[in-house]
Amino acid sequence: MTEQQPKVEPAIAAPKPAKNRTRMLMWVLGPALVLGAGGWLYLTSGRYASTDNAYVQADRVTIAPQIGGRVVEVNVRENQAVKRGDVLFRIDAEPLEIAVARMQAQVESVRSLLDAARSGYSAAQADVRSAVADLDYKKQQFQRLEELRARGLVAQQALDDAANNLAAARAKQDSNNAALSKAQNMLGGLPSTPDEQLAGYKLALAQLAQARLDLEHATVRAPIDGTIGKTSLQPGDFLGVGQAAMPLVANTLWVDANFKETDLTHVVVGQPASIEVDTFPGRKWQARVASISPASGSEFSLLPAQNATGNWVKIVQRIPVRLALETPQQDGLILRAGMSAVVDIDTGRQNSPIGRWQGSDTTSPTRVAQAP
């Protein structure tokens, strides 16, 4: 009988203490990290007001001539950057130059008329003196003939002629006085009044100034720094007064953010903000709250909502907030009007649960600035 061999039990592998510790740490630290992050978000919530309903904005100017005429020169093209004072286009100036020459001749004509009025004033004064002397003589002659007629020494015909001559002398004196008054009025009451103080000369100078201004407006210049928008203006086009020729978008940029009314509880003017534009993800621009609209966007619409009639459903309204960019251009990145943006306004730690527990900071400079 063969001897039975004893059964050998397989060796049990020793546990790996390092692996078990790692697993335990994951089970313990994982939930702790999640709870910690959630608690931090809760405790700091309410500090930032955010919205993605925000867009970059810029001033837009519609370039239009102040005089009508044919375009003879266009100096800019679409999407071209211009500086204030740069020539955009020119209108035919020949008719305006003729108008300036005509007004200059008109000024010289008025000046000549005023010089003639001064000479006429002197002549009228001499005529008045002559008429006064003639009237005195005719009065004396009439009185002598009247005495002689009373004694029967002259005929009635002689007395009648003397009376007629006296009446003619009075009429001539009145006429000369009227001529003197007319010449005096043309000279502003005094013959020594300078031309520049007389109404007729002022009118002529004003017409000349208007003609020169129209000539200057024949050259249309950029009123601000900016970029030319879409335009099809060509030499030969005729433009009327005030007719739109091309748009000009200013270089001054800001951001209009439309916040929900429930997000603006702690937003005040002067608070810092960060802006991220969709065109440049990951890049942020610093800004500050410049102003808050006095009404919701719907109040400025053409047909505001009539909530007092029919069925009504409450809708959270949007309030426009303007943000002033502190550095509009950075690292060669150019913002353009109409770009979409995401805005975060830092309203201060006092608006979070931690801040409310510690007490509001009533000395915050942003809130002091809002105090009446």
Side-chain angles (χ1 to χ4, degrees):
M1 177 178 257
T2 61
E3 186 177 352
Q4 189 175 4
Q5 298 292 332
K7 195 179 281 189
V8 179
E9 295 293 334
I12 299 175
K16 298 180 179 180
K19 187 174 181 180
N20 291 338
R21 284 197 299 271
T22 301
R23 184 178 300 174
M24 184 177 297
L25 287 174
M26 292 178 61
W27 279 103
V28 174
L29 295 180
L33 289 174
V34 173
L35 291 175
W40 174 255
L41 290 176
Y42 169 75
L43 292 176
T44 59
S45 62
R47 174 172 180 172
Y48 294 94
S50 304
T51 183
D52 58 357
N53 188 349
Y55 302 91
V56 179
Q57 300 290 343
D59 288 324
R60 291 179 293 275
V61 179
T62 300
I63 304 299
Q66 294 180 261
I67 57 153
R70 181 174 58 88
V71 178
V72 295
E73 180 182 344
V74 179
N75 299 83
V76 294
R77 62 184 182 276
E78 192 172 312
N79 303 331
Q80 177 179 338
V82 296
K83 296 291 185 180
R84 180 179 180 180
D86 289 351
V87 176
L88 303 181
F89 60 91
R90 301 180 190 274
I91 294 176
D92 186 10
E94 185 175 357
L96 303 173
E97 292 172 349
I98 294 174
V100 170
R102 183 172 62 250
M103 289 299 103
Q104 288 175 336
Q106 183 70 20
V107 170
E108 295 299 328
S109 176
V110 172
R111 182 174 295 168
S112 298
L113 289 175
L114 293 176
D115 292 340
R118 289 187 176 90
S119 299
Y121 180 82
S122 299
Q125 283 182 318
D127 291 340
V128 168
R129 289 194 296 268
S130 176
V132 170
D134 185 59
L135 180 61
D136 291 340
Y137 172 75
K138 296 296 176 56
K139 282 183 179 179
Q140 294 175 2
Q141 187 180 25
F142 176 77
Q143 290 174 357
R144 285 195 301 268
L145 291 176
E146 191 175 28
E147 292 176 358
L148 293 175
R149 176 58 186 164
R151 290 184 289 176
L153 298 178
V154 295
Q156 182 64 36
Q157 179 66 37
L159 182 61
D160 293 341
D161 291 341
N164 184 59
N165 292 336
L166 178 61
R170 287 198 177 101
K172 185 177 180 180
Q173 185 185 24
D174 293 340
S175 176
N176 290 336
N177 286 334
L180 179 63
S181 178
K182 179 180 178 181
Q184 190 174 8
N185 291 335
M186 289 185 63
L187 298 173
L190 293 173
S192 59
T193 304
D195 291 345
E196 291 75 12
Q197 297 181 12
L198 299 177
Y201 193 75
K202 286 182 179 179
L203 177 60
L205 288 179
Q207 292 174 341
L208 176 59
Q210 182 63 55
R212 287 174 174 168
L213 184 62
D214 290 343
L215 179 59
E216 184 179 348
H217 287 160
T219 301
V220 180
R221 301 178 182 274
I224 56 175
D225 297 346
T227 304
I228 299 298
K230 185 176 180 60
T231 179
S232 59
L233 186 66
Q234 298 294 330
D237 291 344
F238 188 91
L239 294 177
V241 178
Q243 181 179 348
M246 59 183 64
L248 177 60
V249 181
N251 292 336
T252 303
L253 300 174
W254 69 87
V255 173
D256 275 344
N258 302 303
F259 282 90
K260 294 179 181 179
E261 55 184 324
T262 53
D263 293 338
L264 293 178
T265 304
H266 303 288
V267 174
V268 295
V269 173
Q271 289 176 337
S274 62
I275 297 171
E276 183 175 353
V277 180
D278 294 356
T279 307
F280 308 109
R283 302 301 297 268
K284 291 185 180 296
W285 278 259
Q286 299 303 314
R288 286 196 173 274
V289 177
S291 62
I292 302 175
S293 175
S296 65
S298 63
E299 291 296 313
F300 295 106
S301 63
L302 184 61
L303 297 174
Q306 300 296 325
N307 295 326
T309 60
N311 296 328
W312 172 75
V313 177
K314 184 176 181 179
I315 300 175
V316 177
Q317 299 298 308
R318 297 267 179 174
I319 306 295
V321 176
R322 174 168 293 195
L323 301 155
L325 294 169
E326 296 182 352
T327 54
Q329 296 185 7
Q330 53 176 314
D331 300 334
L333 304 180
I334 300 177
L335 298 180
R336 304 180 189 277
M339 286 182 172
S340 301
V342 178
V343 173
D344 295 315
I345 298 178
D346 186 357
T347 61
R349 186 181 177 186
Q350 66 272 16
N351 297 326
S352 65
I354 289 180
R356 289 192 291 270
W357 174 67
Q358 293 178 346
S360 298
D361 183 9
T362 57
T363 62
S364 174
T366 56
R367 295 194 176 276
V368 171
Q370 298 299 310

